[in-house]
Amino acid sequence: MIQTDICIIGAGPVALFAVFEAGLLKMRCHLVDALPQVGGQLSEIYPQKPIYDIPGYPAIKAQELIDNQMEQIKPFSPTFTLGERVDSLEQQTDGSYIVSTSENTKIHCQVIAVAGGLGCFEPRKPDVKDILDFERKGVDYMVKNPEIYRSKKIVIAGGGDSALDWTIYLSDIAEEITLVHRSESFRGAPDSADKVYELAKKGKINLLLSHNLLGVQGNGSLSHVKLANKAKDEFLIEADHLIPLYGLTPKLGPIANWGLNINKNAIEVNTFDYSTNVERIYAIGDINTYPGKLKLILSGYHEAALMMQSAFKYVYPDQKLSFKYTTVNGINTF
């Protein structure tokens, strides 16, 4: 059982800023995200996209913003559970919660902050017969632990940044790696595409462009992947693992079953402190809704700050929130 003061569902920029605000108030945070890394959609979907509305930065790339925020919260030592989805909440007699994930990780907390962005990102699955039978038996939709692919035969399907980046990374780990893409060109970063082409020229990977994923085969676990080329000739290749990386689709997921007031796939909140209709559960960032809501990272930062002020009473019920400043080495601290 993981013990913490606040369990934050999500690990995007608003969630990370919530950690900072909690840390200033001496509250501990544990973050849970279904994605295998922090950063939410900024890191997963558009890490190189410039962002123009962060104070103090005329422009900053999405991943750079996340990296800076991780550095900012380092003094508060937050903990993380990544690659797992929060499935259920169980309120205890003292008002606290036990949060359970898809992998049966359990977190005991006083307060829950839902900062899930657009919701739980679920992988887009290829329309391939029997693929569901091989999930966790050779078919993976995200890379959680690269070491499980060491000395294995891997097929990656896709043409975006994730497919390119994991092909490059796993080329030094897998025994054999094949990248399959239905088009002649990639959608990902040109620099990553160039690296993939170079790996193919050196014979470190097999690159199959204008090929389609048709099927999967195996006896209990994956053994072969069926493909078709541009001429629609079908063939099989050996594979220990298939990793289709076709992007992510945001869905509200299990959150919809927690008794929260939902309006058009967003959680209704009180703008006084961004609390929901369920005691000790707050919602901040793009996942919440209220009159005048703006879906901006900056708005989420504001919501996180006010939310943590309110959450303080549940973590320290016998203390009154007040600020006392001291100066250490010329730096003002609380």
Side-chain angles (χ1 to χ4, degrees), residues 37-188:
Q37 75 284 318
V38 300
Q41 59 181 315
L42 269 67
S43 296
E44 183 68 20
I45 301 175
Y46 47 83
Q48 298 304 310
K49 179 181 176 181
I51 301 173
Y52 301 102
D53 58 356
I54 303 299
Y57 292 94
I60 184 170
K61 288 185 178 179
Q63 187 58 52
E64 185 182 357
L65 175 63
I66 296 300
D67 293 342
N68 287 352
Q69 288 195 240
M70 288 294 289
E71 185 66 25
Q72 183 183 39
I73 65 176
K74 190 181 292 183
F76 304 120
S77 303
T79 51
F80 297 85
T81 295
L82 302 175
E84 299 182 24
R85 181 190 65 208
V86 172
D87 278 350
S88 64
L89 314 175
E90 183 181 351
Q91 191 164 27
Q92 307 301 293
T93 55
D94 64 354
S96 64
Y97 282 93
I98 292 179
V99 177
S100 299
T101 75
S102 55
E103 301 297 325
N104 205 32
T105 299
K106 294 189 181 297
I107 304 111
H108 181 241
C109 61
Q110 297 299 322
V111 173
I112 294 170
V114 184
L118 298 175
C120 178
F121 284 95
E122 297 186 3
R124 291 192 178 98
K125 300 181 181 182
D127 186 15
V128 170
K129 183 181 178 182
D130 298 330
I131 196 166
L132 298 181
D133 296 336
F134 291 95
E135 290 180 355
R136 299 189 181 185
K137 298 175 183 177
V139 173
D140 307 311
Y141 299 108
M142 59 179 66
V143 178
K144 295 182 182 179
N145 177 12
E147 280 301 312
I148 70 172
Y149 305 110
R150 185 167 294 280
S151 303
K152 302 291 186 180
K153 294 182 178 180
I154 313 298
V155 175
I156 294 178
D161 284 311
S162 291
L164 294 173
D165 291 345
W166 281 119
T167 297
I168 295 166
Y169 187 89
L170 292 175
S171 65
D172 289 327
I173 293 177
E175 174 190 338
E176 179 179 285
I177 189 162
T178 301
L179 176 59
V180 180
H181 184 37
R182 63 185 179 183
S183 176
E184 282 289 339
S185 59
F186 294 109
R187 303 184 311 275

Side-chain angles (χ1 to χ4, degrees), residues 209-220:
L209 298 177
S210 295
H211 282 66
N212 287 306
L213 180 64
L214 293 186
V216 287
Q217 295 182 9
N219 184 14

Side-chain angles (χ1 to χ4, degrees), residues 202-261:
K202 292 179 178 179
K204 292 200 69 175
I205 67 166
N206 302 316
L207 180 58
L208 301 179
L209 298 177
S210 295
H211 282 66
N212 287 306
L213 180 64
L214 293 186
V216 287
Q217 295 182 9
N219 184 14
S221 61
L222 184 72
S223 63
H224 291 83
V225 172
K226 180 188 273 190
L227 304 172
N229 61 21
K230 196 172 185 178
K232 297 186 178 180
D233 298 322
E234 299 180 5
F235 59 96
L236 294 172
I237 63 172
E238 288 187 38
D240 298 303
H241 294 273
L242 167 65
I243 311 174
L245 297 172
Y246 291 167
L248 301 168
T249 301
K251 295 182 179 179
L252 206 53
I255 293 173
N257 303 318
W258 296 349
L260 302 169
N261 289 340

